[in-house]
Amino acid sequence: MSVSVIVPTLLRPLTNGEKEVYAQGNSVAEAIDHLETQFPGIKARLVNGDQVHRFVNIYVNEDDIRFADGLRTLVKAGDSLTVLPAVAGG
Amino acid sequence: MALHIKNQALERIVAQAYRDHPIETCGIVVSASGSTVASRVVPMRNQAASETFFLFDSREQFRVFRELDEHGETCRVIYHSHTVSEAYPSREDIEYAGSPEAHYLIVSTWDHAREAIRSFRLLDGRAIEESVCILA
């Protein structure tokens, strides 16, 4: 399954400056693994252990995957993954 | 580079900060297509509802940022308040800073704050203060 991935400014140095890239996989975790093969280093910015990294939000289409099945959330062809920085602080 | 922000927007942020005090307030200021002036305030819900932490509601954030894209607007400022400390980035502010293109505006509602409003660029784990240019 091919999904599009929208990458935030902060991570674009890892995607050769590209805002939109593509990944294969049946789940968010698989798509991220495929991204890592194309853009080494990106996985560590998106994932911490078996969870979404606290510094980012990942959405499948419009839904934050933290409120679905996390990294196990399924994706299908044509879905859009969006990564946004989590906006937070003290 | 200085932050250029409309006076009306700044007044709205300060009013919001005092209204939410002692809970930290948060939101963004956007600029219209082709402009670098921060002009339209979009208050965001502080999901943490804390006196020492703020967190955008991720679903609200997605909706708001998609609307900005649709309208050709840009998120120019990410603001939040400090209610018991100076208007200076905390360690967590710097850790979470994920928008190198944005100005990070902090409003302090703490009685003892030396300056109530300060703006920073947060890059590579560092806070760089910048001037705030207030426009009519």
Side-chain angles (χ1 to χ4, degrees):
Chain A
M1 301 292 173
S2 180
V3 297
S4 63
V5 183
I6 307 292
V7 179
T9 310
L10 192 66
L11 300 185
R12 287 181 207 161
L14 293 169
T15 59
N16 309 314
E18 293 294 326
K19 177 181 181 181
E20 183 170 16
V21 297
Y22 294 87
Q24 304 279 338
N26 293 310
S27 67
V28 174
E30 288 179 12
I32 290 173
D33 283 339
H34 185 237
L35 280 181
E36 178 69 15
T37 66
Q38 305 173 72
F39 310 111
I42 200 166
K43 182 176 180 178
R45 308 292 292 275
L46 301 177
V47 171
N48 186 13
D50 59 356
Q51 297 195 325
V52 179
H53 202 295
R54 68 189 169 115
F55 294 152
V56 296
N57 301 325
I58 301 175
Y59 306 84
V60 172
N61 300 322
E62 301 178 3
D63 300 319
D64 182 343
I65 64 170
R66 286 196 183 91
F67 300 96
D69 287 331
L71 296 168
R72 291 189 299 276
T73 302
L74 299 177
V75 294
K76 58 185 188 305
D79 277 349
S80 175
L81 275 185
T82 301
V83 180
L84 291 180
V87 183
Chain B
M1 195 181 99
L3 164 62
H4 292 80
I5 187 168
K6 290 275 192 187
N7 184 48
Q8 196 179 26
L10 206 51
E11 286 179 349
R12 194 161 169 215
I13 292 168
V14 171
Q16 182 192 342
Y18 277 99
R19 190 170 61 245
D20 289 350
H21 183 93
I23 300 298
E24 288 196 13
T25 206
C26 59
I28 64 173
V29 192
V30 306
S31 56
S33 177
S35 170
T36 57
V37 177
S39 55
R40 185 169 73 85
V41 176
V42 184
M44 302 288 281
R45 192 169 81 82
N46 177 1
Q47 194 169 37
S50 163
E51 297 180 15
T52 56
F53 197 72
F54 79 99
L55 172 66
F56 279 11
D57 177 319
S58 63
R59 292 172 284 195
E60 180 182 40
Q61 181 189 352
F62 184 87
R63 282 195 305 273
V64 167
F65 279 68
R66 190 177 56 182
E67 284 170 16
L68 298 191
D69 269 350
E70 287 170 0
H71 296 133
E73 293 176 307
T74 304
C75 172
R76 193 64 60 188
V77 173
I78 294 170
Y79 68 85
H80 74 287
S81 65
H82 284 175
T83 59
V84 288
S85 63
E86 294 284 355
Y88 191 84
S90 66
R91 186 176 52 80
E92 285 164 317
D93 292 338
I94 293 170
E95 270 181 4
Y96 270 96
S99 300
E101 69 282 13
H103 303 266
Y104 285 82
L105 186 79
I106 304 178
V107 175
S108 177
T109 55
W110 186 43
D111 284 344
H112 306 293
R114 287 190 296 271
E115 286 182 78
I117 298 165
R118 297 172 76 178
S119 183
F120 301 85
R121 293 287 185 160
L122 303 182
L123 291 171
D124 302 326
R126 290 186 307 146
I128 302 159
E129 185 156 17
E130 58 187 3
S131 53
V132 178
C133 182
I134 302 169
L135 307 171

